[in-house]
């Protein structure tokens, strides 16, 4: 089925910019979540690969929405300051779960 861009209100160029940003951000999120998947993790240890995927998806979507509120689609890009904010956000988010992460 052909989807009209008028019904969604987002032009293809904007959609592509958001998708590219989300893809780049997902790599940053997965990279930062990786340490919580390791055996020697002391806080927020992710025991299951499904939980890891769930968290990566949830955090990526949430952080993308947050950035879209702050900037227009054409301004979206993964900068060093964004990477640092993501690292801090994930660290504080995972610290809420104690030694082992449990999906709520």
């Amino acid at each position: 089925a052909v989807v009209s861009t008028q019904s969604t209100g987002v032009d293809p160029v904007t959609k592509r910019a958001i998708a590219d940003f989300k893809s780049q951000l997902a790599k940053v999120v997965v990279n930062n979540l990786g340490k919580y998947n390791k055996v020697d993790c002391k806080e927020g240890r992710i025991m299951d690969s499904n939980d890891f995927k769930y968290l990566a998806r949830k955090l990526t979507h949430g952080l993308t929405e947050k950035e879209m509120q702050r900037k227009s689609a054409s301004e979206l890009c993964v900068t060093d300051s964004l990477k640092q904010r993501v690292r801090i956000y994930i660290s504080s988010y995972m610290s809420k779960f104690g030694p082992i992460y449990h999906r709520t």
Side-chain angles (χ1 to χ4, degrees), residues 27-58:
K27 290 176 186 169
V28 174
V29 169
V30 167
N31 192 23
N32 280 287
L33 269 181
K35 70 179 186 179
Y36 296 99
N37 213 12
K38 294 186 176 160
V39 179
D40 61 350
C41 180
K42 303 276 187 245
E43 190 174 61
R45 166 107 161 85
I46 302 169
M47 303 293 283
D48 184 33
S49 63
N50 287 327
D51 285 344
F52 183 86
K53 291 176 189 176
Y54 167 81
L55 266 175
R57 191 173 294 117
K58 177 182 174 179

mmCIF file of all heavy atoms in Angstrom, residues 27-58:
data_model
loop_
_atom_site.group_PDB
_atom_site.id
_atom_site.type_symbol
_atom_site.label_atom_id
_atom_site.label_comp_id
_atom_site.label_asym_id
_atom_site.label_seq_id
_atom_site.Cartn_x
_atom_site.Cartn_y
_atom_site.Cartn_z
ATOM 1 N N LYS A 27 23.550 3.055 17.971
ATOM 2 C CA LYS A 27 24.913 2.546 18.121
ATOM 3 C C LYS A 27 25.542 3.056 19.415
ATOM 4 O O LYS A 27 26.223 2.307 20.126
ATOM 5 C CB LYS A 27 25.779 2.955 16.924
ATOM 6 C CG LYS A 27 25.401 2.240 15.653
ATOM 7 C CD LYS A 27 26.201 2.726 14.477
ATOM 8 C CE LYS A 27 25.698 2.080 13.198
ATOM 9 N NZ LYS A 27 26.259 2.683 12.001
ATOM 10 N N VAL A 28 25.307 4.324 19.729
ATOM 11 C CA VAL A 28 25.840 4.915 20.966
ATOM 12 C C VAL A 28 25.206 4.239 22.181
ATOM 13 O O VAL A 28 25.892 3.886 23.141
ATOM 14 C CB VAL A 28 25.593 6.439 21.001
ATOM 15 C CG1 VAL A 28 26.015 7.038 22.326
ATOM 16 C CG2 VAL A 28 26.320 7.130 19.854
ATOM 17 N N VAL A 29 23.889 4.029 22.139
ATOM 18 C CA VAL A 29 23.171 3.398 23.251
ATOM 19 C C VAL A 29 23.671 1.968 23.459
ATOM 20 O O VAL A 29 23.993 1.580 24.590
ATOM 21 C CB VAL A 29 21.636 3.415 23.002
ATOM 22 C CG1 VAL A 29 20.912 2.530 24.009
ATOM 23 C CG2 VAL A 29 21.107 4.835 23.073
ATOM 24 N N VAL A 30 23.771 1.187 22.387
ATOM 25 C CA VAL A 30 24.233 -0.208 22.489
ATOM 26 C C VAL A 30 25.661 -0.249 23.030
ATOM 27 O O VAL A 30 25.996 -1.081 23.881
ATOM 28 C CB VAL A 30 24.116 -0.921 21.125
ATOM 29 C CG1 VAL A 30 24.870 -2.240 21.124
ATOM 30 C CG2 VAL A 30 22.656 -1.146 20.778
ATOM 31 N N ASN A 31 26.485 0.656 22.556
ATOM 32 C CA ASN A 31 27.869 0.733 23.016
ATOM 33 C C ASN A 31 27.930 1.001 24.523
ATOM 34 O O ASN A 31 28.713 0.382 25.245
ATOM 35 C CB ASN A 31 28.603 1.832 22.234
ATOM 36 C CG ASN A 31 30.089 1.780 22.427
ATOM 37 O OD1 ASN A 31 30.640 0.743 22.770
ATOM 38 N ND2 ASN A 31 30.735 2.893 22.190
ATOM 39 N N ASN A 32 27.083 1.910 25.002
ATOM 40 C CA ASN A 32 27.073 2.241 26.432
ATOM 41 C C ASN A 32 26.403 1.166 27.280
ATOM 42 O O ASN A 32 26.762 0.989 28.441
ATOM 43 C CB ASN A 32 26.382 3.592 26.660
ATOM 44 C CG ASN A 32 27.286 4.753 26.358
ATOM 45 O OD1 ASN A 32 28.199 5.045 27.110
ATOM 46 N ND2 ASN A 32 27.062 5.406 25.231
ATOM 47 N N LEU A 33 25.429 0.456 26.706
ATOM 48 C CA LEU A 33 24.752 -0.615 27.451
ATOM 49 C C LEU A 33 25.619 -1.868 27.550
ATOM 50 O O LEU A 33 25.413 -2.692 28.431
ATOM 51 C CB LEU A 33 23.442 -0.991 26.767
ATOM 52 C CG LEU A 33 22.178 -0.280 27.190
ATOM 53 C CD1 LEU A 33 20.997 -0.824 26.411
ATOM 54 C CD2 LEU A 33 21.929 -0.360 28.664
ATOM 55 N N GLY A 34 26.577 -2.001 26.651
ATOM 56 C CA GLY A 34 27.399 -3.205 26.584
ATOM 57 C C GLY A 34 28.053 -3.578 27.897
ATOM 58 O O GLY A 34 28.124 -4.753 28.256
ATOM 59 N N LYS A 35 28.515 -2.590 28.646
ATOM 60 C CA LYS A 35 29.205 -2.896 29.898
ATOM 61 C C LYS A 35 28.264 -3.502 30.940
ATOM 62 O O LYS A 35 28.715 -4.196 31.843
ATOM 63 C CB LYS A 35 29.903 -1.653 30.456
ATOM 64 C CG LYS A 35 28.995 -0.571 30.977
ATOM 65 C CD LYS A 35 29.808 0.581 31.530
ATOM 66 C CE LYS A 35 28.927 1.612 32.192
ATOM 67 N NZ LYS A 35 29.702 2.711 32.741
ATOM 68 N N TYR A 36 26.962 -3.263 30.793
ATOM 69 C CA TYR A 36 25.988 -3.827 31.740
ATOM 70 C C TYR A 36 25.651 -5.281 31.396
ATOM 71 O O TYR A 36 24.956 -5.953 32.144
ATOM 72 C CB TYR A 36 24.710 -2.978 31.771
ATOM 73 C CG TYR A 36 24.972 -1.591 32.276
ATOM 74 C CD1 TYR A 36 25.129 -0.524 31.413
ATOM 75 C CD2 TYR A 36 25.111 -1.351 33.645
ATOM 76 C CE1 TYR A 36 25.391 0.753 31.874
ATOM 77 C CE2 TYR A 36 25.385 -0.092 34.117
ATOM 78 C CZ TYR A 36 25.518 0.955 33.226
ATOM 79 O OH TYR A 36 25.800 2.213 33.699
ATOM 80 N N ASN A 37 26.152 -5.738 30.273
ATOM 81 C CA ASN A 37 25.914 -7.108 29.821
ATOM 82 C C ASN A 37 27.061 -8.031 30.215
ATOM 83 O O ASN A 37 26.995 -9.231 30.002
ATOM 84 C CB ASN A 37 25.756 -7.095 28.289
ATOM 85 C CG ASN A 37 24.792 -8.134 27.798
ATOM 86 O OD1 ASN A 37 24.059 -8.739 28.560
ATOM 87 N ND2 ASN A 37 24.804 -8.355 26.502
ATOM 88 N N LYS A 38 28.125 -7.470 30.783
ATOM 89 C CA LYS A 38 29.318 -8.243 31.113
ATOM 90 C C LYS A 38 29.209 -8.899 32.487
ATOM 91 O O LYS A 38 28.504 -8.418 33.363
ATOM 92 C CB LYS A 38 30.550 -7.345 31.054
ATOM 93 C CG LYS A 38 30.819 -6.863 29.649
ATOM 94 C CD LYS A 38 32.098 -6.112 29.548
ATOM 95 C CE LYS A 38 32.338 -5.760 28.084
ATOM 96 N NZ LYS A 38 33.254 -4.693 27.895
ATOM 97 N N VAL A 39 29.923 -9.984 32.661
ATOM 98 C CA VAL A 39 29.885 -10.789 33.891
ATOM 99 C C VAL A 39 30.350 -9.985 35.108
ATOM 100 O O VAL A 39 29.804 -10.131 36.196
ATOM 101 C CB VAL A 39 30.762 -12.057 33.725
ATOM 102 C CG1 VAL A 39 30.768 -12.890 34.992
ATOM 103 C CG2 VAL A 39 30.266 -12.885 32.557
ATOM 104 N N ASP A 40 31.330 -9.116 34.925
ATOM 105 C CA ASP A 40 31.898 -8.385 36.065
ATOM 106 C C ASP A 40 31.145 -7.094 36.394
ATOM 107 O O ASP A 40 31.604 -6.307 37.223
ATOM 108 C CB ASP A 40 33.380 -8.088 35.829
ATOM 109 C CG ASP A 40 33.620 -7.232 34.603
ATOM 110 O OD1 ASP A 40 32.664 -7.022 33.816
ATOM 111 O OD2 ASP A 40 34.769 -6.781 34.423
ATOM 112 N N CYS A 41 29.981 -6.885 35.808
ATOM 113 C CA CYS A 41 29.183 -5.686 36.079
ATOM 114 C C CYS A 41 28.632 -5.744 37.506
ATOM 115 O O CYS A 41 28.046 -6.740 37.923
ATOM 116 C CB CYS A 41 28.042 -5.587 35.080
ATOM 117 S SG CYS A 41 27.009 -4.144 35.335
ATOM 118 N N LYS A 42 28.820 -4.671 38.257
ATOM 119 C CA LYS A 42 28.407 -4.629 39.669
ATOM 120 C C LYS A 42 27.015 -4.024 39.867
ATOM 121 O O LYS A 42 26.371 -4.259 40.870
ATOM 122 C CB LYS A 42 29.413 -3.802 40.480
ATOM 123 C CG LYS A 42 30.842 -4.302 40.388
ATOM 124 C CD LYS A 42 31.102 -5.416 41.365
ATOM 125 C CE LYS A 42 32.553 -5.782 41.396
ATOM 126 N NZ LYS A 42 32.800 -7.140 40.923
ATOM 127 N N GLU A 43 26.576 -3.206 38.896
ATOM 128 C CA GLU A 43 25.315 -2.484 39.076
ATOM 129 C C GLU A 43 24.501 -2.514 37.789
ATOM 130 O O GLU A 43 24.999 -2.135 36.735
ATOM 131 C CB GLU A 43 25.638 -1.042 39.457
ATOM 132 C CG GLU A 43 24.453 -0.235 39.906
ATOM 133 C CD GLU A 43 24.883 1.131 40.406
ATOM 134 O OE1 GLU A 43 25.465 1.892 39.616
ATOM 135 O OE2 GLU A 43 24.630 1.420 41.568
ATOM 136 N N GLY A 44 23.253 -2.992 37.868
ATOM 137 C CA GLY A 44 22.382 -3.017 36.702
ATOM 138 C C GLY A 44 22.737 -4.083 35.684
ATOM 139 O O GLY A 44 22.488 -3.912 34.500
ATOM 140 N N ARG A 45 23.296 -5.196 36.123
ATOM 141 C CA ARG A 45 23.720 -6.280 35.229
ATOM 142 C C ARG A 45 22.532 -6.800 34.435
ATOM 143 O O ARG A 45 21.502 -7.156 34.985
ATOM 144 C CB ARG A 45 24.347 -7.406 36.040
ATOM 145 C CG ARG A 45 24.526 -8.713 35.290
ATOM 146 C CD ARG A 45 25.983 -8.962 34.953
ATOM 147 N NE ARG A 45 26.253 -10.355 34.657
ATOM 148 C CZ ARG A 45 26.090 -10.899 33.454
ATOM 149 N NH1 ARG A 45 25.609 -10.186 32.459
ATOM 150 N NH2 ARG A 45 26.392 -12.165 33.243
ATOM 151 N N ILE A 46 22.677 -6.850 33.107
ATOM 152 C CA ILE A 46 21.646 -7.375 32.214
ATOM 153 C C ILE A 46 21.963 -8.853 31.989
ATOM 154 O O ILE A 46 22.996 -9.188 31.429
ATOM 155 C CB ILE A 46 21.619 -6.609 30.879
ATOM 156 C CG1 ILE A 46 21.380 -5.122 31.131
ATOM 157 C CG2 ILE A 46 20.545 -7.182 29.960
ATOM 158 C CD1 ILE A 46 21.592 -4.250 29.906
ATOM 159 N N MET A 47 21.055 -9.719 32.425
ATOM 160 C CA MET A 47 21.304 -11.160 32.383
ATOM 161 C C MET A 47 20.806 -11.824 31.092
ATOM 162 O O MET A 47 21.255 -12.897 30.741
ATOM 163 C CB MET A 47 20.615 -11.844 33.566
ATOM 164 C CG MET A 47 21.033 -11.312 34.927
ATOM 165 S SD MET A 47 22.724 -11.678 35.332
ATOM 166 C CE MET A 47 22.591 -13.387 35.797
ATOM 167 N N ASP A 48 19.879 -11.192 30.393
ATOM 168 C CA ASP A 48 19.206 -11.827 29.265
ATOM 169 C C ASP A 48 19.365 -10.981 28.000
ATOM 170 O O ASP A 48 19.235 -9.760 28.053
ATOM 171 C CB ASP A 48 17.723 -11.976 29.627
ATOM 172 C CG ASP A 48 16.918 -12.699 28.583
ATOM 173 O OD1 ASP A 48 17.465 -13.587 27.921
ATOM 174 O OD2 ASP A 48 15.719 -12.384 28.449
ATOM 175 N N SER A 49 19.629 -11.633 26.867
ATOM 176 C CA SER A 49 19.804 -10.888 25.617
ATOM 177 C C SER A 49 18.506 -10.199 25.187
ATOM 178 O O SER A 49 18.542 -9.131 24.569
ATOM 179 C CB SER A 49 20.311 -11.788 24.506
ATOM 180 O OG SER A 49 19.378 -12.797 24.215
ATOM 181 N N ASN A 50 17.370 -10.787 25.528
ATOM 182 C CA ASN A 50 16.090 -10.140 25.208
ATOM 183 C C ASN A 50 15.913 -8.855 26.010
ATOM 184 O O ASN A 50 15.378 -7.866 25.500
ATOM 185 C CB ASN A 50 14.914 -11.085 25.453
ATOM 186 C CG ASN A 50 14.827 -12.172 24.411
ATOM 187 O OD1 ASN A 50 15.168 -11.956 23.252
ATOM 188 N ND2 ASN A 50 14.409 -13.350 24.817
ATOM 189 N N ASP A 51 16.353 -8.871 27.272
ATOM 190 C CA ASP A 51 16.300 -7.659 28.081
ATOM 191 C C ASP A 51 17.230 -6.596 27.505
ATOM 192 O O ASP A 51 16.898 -5.409 27.492
ATOM 193 C CB ASP A 51 16.693 -7.948 29.535
ATOM 194 C CG ASP A 51 15.597 -8.675 30.307
ATOM 195 O OD1 ASP A 51 14.445 -8.694 29.831
ATOM 196 O OD2 ASP A 51 15.903 -9.221 31.379
ATOM 197 N N PHE A 52 18.395 -7.023 27.020
ATOM 198 C CA PHE A 52 19.343 -6.084 26.416
ATOM 199 C C PHE A 52 18.715 -5.417 25.195
ATOM 200 O O PHE A 52 18.751 -4.190 25.055
ATOM 201 C CB PHE A 52 20.630 -6.817 26.020
ATOM 202 C CG PHE A 52 21.682 -5.909 25.448
ATOM 203 C CD1 PHE A 52 22.553 -5.233 26.284
ATOM 204 C CD2 PHE A 52 21.783 -5.707 24.081
ATOM 205 C CE1 PHE A 52 23.524 -4.381 25.768
ATOM 206 C CE2 PHE A 52 22.741 -4.867 23.558
ATOM 207 C CZ PHE A 52 23.612 -4.197 24.408
ATOM 208 N N LYS A 53 18.109 -6.211 24.327
ATOM 209 C CA LYS A 53 17.463 -5.679 23.120
ATOM 210 C C LYS A 53 16.317 -4.743 23.487
ATOM 211 O O LYS A 53 16.152 -3.675 22.892
ATOM 212 C CB LYS A 53 16.929 -6.818 22.244
ATOM 213 C CG LYS A 53 18.010 -7.643 21.597
ATOM 214 C CD LYS A 53 17.384 -8.795 20.841
ATOM 215 C CE LYS A 53 18.423 -9.771 20.348
ATOM 216 N NZ LYS A 53 17.820 -10.936 19.701
ATOM 217 N N TYR A 54 15.515 -5.166 24.471
ATOM 218 C CA TYR A 54 14.394 -4.350 24.929
ATOM 219 C C TYR A 54 14.881 -2.995 25.434
ATOM 220 O O TYR A 54 14.339 -1.948 25.067
ATOM 221 C CB TYR A 54 13.631 -5.098 26.041
ATOM 222 C CG TYR A 54 12.649 -4.241 26.793
ATOM 223 C CD1 TYR A 54 11.388 -3.977 26.274
ATOM 224 C CD2 TYR A 54 12.986 -3.686 28.024
ATOM 225 C CE1 TYR A 54 10.485 -3.180 26.966
ATOM 226 C CE2 TYR A 54 12.093 -2.892 28.718
ATOM 227 C CZ TYR A 54 10.842 -2.642 28.191
ATOM 228 O OH TYR A 54 9.955 -1.849 28.876
ATOM 229 N N LEU A 55 15.910 -3.030 26.287
ATOM 230 C CA LEU A 55 16.458 -1.788 26.845
ATOM 231 C C LEU A 55 17.052 -0.896 25.764
ATOM 232 O O LEU A 55 16.838 0.317 25.774
ATOM 233 C CB LEU A 55 17.554 -2.106 27.865
ATOM 234 C CG LEU A 55 17.147 -2.182 29.315
ATOM 235 C CD1 LEU A 55 18.339 -2.615 30.162
ATOM 236 C CD2 LEU A 55 16.603 -0.872 29.802
ATOM 237 N N ALA A 56 17.801 -1.490 24.854
ATOM 238 C CA ALA A 56 18.425 -0.714 23.769
ATOM 239 C C ALA A 56 17.351 -0.010 22.949
ATOM 240 O O ALA A 56 17.464 1.181 22.645
ATOM 241 C CB ALA A 56 19.267 -1.621 22.891
ATOM 242 N N ARG A 57 16.300 -0.731 22.632
ATOM 243 C CA ARG A 57 15.204 -0.159 21.838
ATOM 244 C C ARG A 57 14.486 0.936 22.628
ATOM 245 O O ARG A 57 14.245 2.033 22.118
ATOM 246 C CB ARG A 57 14.226 -1.265 21.446
ATOM 247 C CG ARG A 57 13.199 -0.849 20.423
ATOM 248 C CD ARG A 57 12.356 -2.029 19.934
ATOM 249 N NE ARG A 57 13.161 -2.990 19.188
ATOM 250 C CZ ARG A 57 13.367 -4.246 19.556
ATOM 251 N NH1 ARG A 57 12.823 -4.717 20.658
ATOM 252 N NH2 ARG A 57 14.100 -5.050 18.833
ATOM 253 N N LYS A 58 14.154 0.631 23.883
ATOM 254 C CA LYS A 58 13.423 1.584 24.717
ATOM 255 C C LYS A 58 14.213 2.883 24.908
ATOM 256 O O LYS A 58 13.675 3.984 24.750
ATOM 257 C CB LYS A 58 13.149 0.942 26.082
ATOM 258 C CG LYS A 58 12.465 1.858 27.062
ATOM 259 C CD LYS A 58 12.266 1.184 28.398
ATOM 260 C CE LYS A 58 11.712 2.185 29.386
ATOM 261 N NZ LYS A 58 11.464 1.634 30.686
#
